[in-house]
Each structure stands twice: as structure tokens, then as C-alpha cells.
Amino acid sequence: LLTAVHKDSFRIISHRELLFNDFGDRVAQLLHVELIVPFSQCRNNNVRQEILIVNTHLLFPHNSSLCLERLRQVYKILQYVESYQYENKLNPLPILLCGDWNGSKSGHVYKFLRSQGFISSYDAAHVYADADAHKWVSHRNHRGNICGVDFIWLLNPNRYRKLLKTSWSEALAGMLKLNLVGHCHGLCNEEVKELWLQADVDRNGVIDYKEFKQQIWNTYSDQGERERDNIWDDIINGTVQTIGFSVKNAVLFPAEVEKGMWPEDYSLSDHARLTVVFSPVRMPCSRLT
């Protein structure tokens, strides 16, 4: 992995390496940077202009059981980012997640990041919905298949974030559909126990149909969102001014991939280049206690 920054635009505050320590030997990088030249809206104002940037390359899903391992890798990234913010006493700030995610918009990783408040910058720029996943591609893999797997994710500091542990439990619940219990790369005993505790609301050791339906299949219900909003409100104390981003434009090169086609004469890489232009904006965000 390589993450390059322009030294005239950014000051590197910290750089961390994250080893997943799994069988795929995959890794991630975290950069904590600060804008050197303040943008006009924030000039002469005491506005924090720091960003967290993560770069990674997830495991390829050679079979369905590896979907869980890839999800674990993303969970480790978000856990690490969360602990980094806590250890350095950072208030919410923009987070960019970049890389080859080796998964499409219909996969568990995409849905997991969405549940954490992240948006796909390319989809935001082109107003693509989930049903438009087939309209663009970014990779021709070693099997000769074309797919959209390269994303630059954005999480603004004023964006609602579901509790990470809650999102993880919901994502694990979705894994049950793949029948991954007992597989060598499937759900471990701890993860199965965690799912059971989530579903067994009355703690009587038995999961009846009502509990199962409510906790496993309706985890993304509006009622659940409102309850988590209330929890989020309870831990907020005041606001701060910080930098955020709007997605100004996003372009894939070569142009054919934006129409879902892979040009046979393109030999630069087996990935299309994704370029995103962000426009900085000032925004109030919640100061977490």
C-alpha cells in the first residue's frame, strides 16, 4: 500500500500501520493529516481542519465463506479508527476510506459501511442508487469478470453513526443467511454467542419467533433507528466547528467503465482510476463526552 499526500497542502500529524493478522496477510494504513492552507470559509476562524485517511486492500472473495473474513477486516479498521480517535481525544472529524474493497455494492462490506454512516463518493456525485450498481465497473479481475470494487468512502463529522458494535452484530446476523456457522472461516463461537445474546431479548435462554424476527430480520427498522438516535443524543455534550466535505465530482478512467464496459485496449492496469474532487465546508458537529 502507498498513500501519498502533497506536502504543500497537508501536514502529516501521525501515520499508523494496521495488520489484520489473518490468513490473507492483508493490511491497512491510517494517516492523520491537517490542511496547511485554510480554505476561505474557515479563514480567521478557529476551525479544526484535520482528516483521517485510511487506505486498504481487502481479501478477494474466492468463496462465500471469505465474505465473513472480509467483513472482519473492515470491522478491524473501524475499531482501530475509533480507538485512535479515543486515545488522541479527537472530536468527530472527516474520515476517508480508500482502496480496493474486492466487493460490490450488493455485498456485506458495502452495507456495513453504509450502516456506519459512510457514503460512496462516486455514487453521491452521480446520484446512483443501490439499484444502479450495474451502471459502472472499476476492475477486471483474474477470472476475467468485470465488477465495481473500488470505492472512496466519506464520513462527515456531522453524519449520524450507528454504534459500531450494533452494526457489527447486525452484519453478523446477515451472515447467517450464508450458513457460515462451523466453517473454517465462518462464525466463531464468540460471534455465535454474541448473536444469541442480541436476539434473546428476555434472557430466558430461548429465542421465540417474535424475538428472532425483531432482532435478526428487522435490525434496520425505522423504530430501531429512532431508538439509536435517542442513545446518540444522550452522549452528546455541546458542539464544535470543524471541517467537512461535499462531493464535488467523481470520475472513473477510462470513460467506458462508467457505462459498465471494460475496453479491451486498456492495458495500464486491471483497475480503473477513480478520482474524486471534494469541496471543503464548515460544519458544526457534536462534541462527544
Side-chain angles (χ1 to χ4, degrees):
L1 294 176
L2 169 67
T3 306
V5 298
H6 200 295
K7 64 180 182 180
D8 294 335
S9 301
F10 298 97
R11 179 178 71 88
I12 298 178
I13 298 174
S14 182
H15 165 253
R16 302 289 176 86
E17 296 179 352
L18 172 58
L19 305 179
F20 296 146
N21 294 318
D22 55 21
F23 65 91
D25 292 328
R26 298 299 171 126
V27 297
Q29 292 176 324
L30 182 144
L31 279 182
H32 182 187
V33 301
E34 179 183 24
L35 289 176
I36 290 179
V37 180
F39 65 92
S40 58
Q41 294 186 50
C42 289
R43 199 178 297 275
N44 299 324
N45 284 282
N46 186 25
V47 177
R48 297 181 66 87
Q49 300 186 57
E50 299 175 13
I51 312 165
L52 291 182
I53 302 171
V54 177
N55 185 19
T56 191
H57 184 179
L58 297 190
L59 191 68
F60 184 84
H62 295 280
N63 55 62
S64 61
S65 69
L66 296 183
C67 293
L68 176 59
E69 198 60 41
R70 298 173 58 257
L71 193 64
R72 283 195 185 108
Q73 292 173 343
V74 178
Y75 184 49
K76 290 176 183 177
I77 290 175
L78 297 186
Q79 278 186 312
Y80 191 82
V81 170
E82 193 174 79
S83 63
Y84 179 85
Q85 290 178 285
Y86 178 79
E87 292 168 4
N88 292 277
K89 297 179 173 61
L90 300 177
N91 283 310
L93 71 170
I95 301 173
L96 295 176
L97 304 181
C98 315
D100 176 2
W101 299 88
N102 262 325
S104 69
K105 293 181 62 175
S106 61
H108 292 279
V109 166
Y110 185 93
K111 295 174 182 177
F112 180 46
L113 287 171
R114 284 273 298 271
S115 75
Q116 276 290 286
F118 286 89
I119 63 169
S120 165
S121 54
Y122 186 85
D123 292 345
H126 296 268
V127 199
Y128 278 174
D130 290 349
D132 299 319
H134 62 284
K135 291 188 176 180
W136 63 270
V137 297
S138 69
H139 179 40
R140 181 163 66 179
N141 63 31
H142 62 281
R143 295 174 175 173
N145 302 322
I146 58 174
C147 45
V149 300
D150 298 273
F151 297 92
I152 297 178
W153 293 92
L154 167 66
L155 177 67
N156 269 322
N158 67 344
R159 179 83 171 176
Y160 163 75
R161 289 184 68 180
K162 187 181 296 184
L163 296 176
L164 180 56
K165 195 71 174 178
T166 301
S167 289
W168 173 241
S169 296
E170 292 173 352
L172 287 183
M175 290 284 112
L176 289 177
K177 300 176 183 179
L178 297 179
N179 193 26
L180 294 180
V181 178
H183 193 278
C184 61
H185 304 307
L187 299 178
C188 63
N189 290 336
E190 181 181 346
E191 290 165 338
V192 173
K193 182 179 179 181
E194 187 173 304
L195 284 178
W196 182 274
L197 293 176
Q198 286 283 329
D200 186 13
V201 179
D202 56 16
R203 298 295 187 265
N204 67 351
V206 177
I207 301 177
D208 58 31
Y209 174 74
K210 183 178 180 181
E211 287 178 321
F212 186 82
K213 181 179 178 181
Q214 178 182 350
Q215 296 299 318
I216 300 298
W217 307 119
N218 293 343
T219 50
Y220 294 97
S221 66
D222 291 337
Q223 180 181 358
E225 292 292 343
R226 287 195 297 269
E227 291 173 354
R228 282 182 285 271
D229 279 335
N230 293 334
I231 295 173
W232 187 254
D233 291 339
D234 289 341
I235 63 174
I236 288 176
N237 179 22
T239 60
V240 294
Q241 291 289 322
T242 187
I243 188 178
F245 292 108
S246 63
V247 181
K248 189 175 181 180
N249 195 18
V251 178
L252 282 163
F253 176 85
E256 289 89 341
V257 301
E258 294 190 325
K259 300 177 182 179
M261 299 179 292
W262 191 267
E264 293 298 327
D265 59 349
Y266 180 64
S267 58
L268 180 63
S269 171
D270 59 358
H271 284 268
R273 186 183 67 206
L274 173 59
T275 303
V276 179
V277 179
F278 294 102
S279 179
V281 294
R282 185 174 64 181
M283 60 178 56
C285 74
S286 303
R287 184 194 301 273
L288 300 185
T289 56

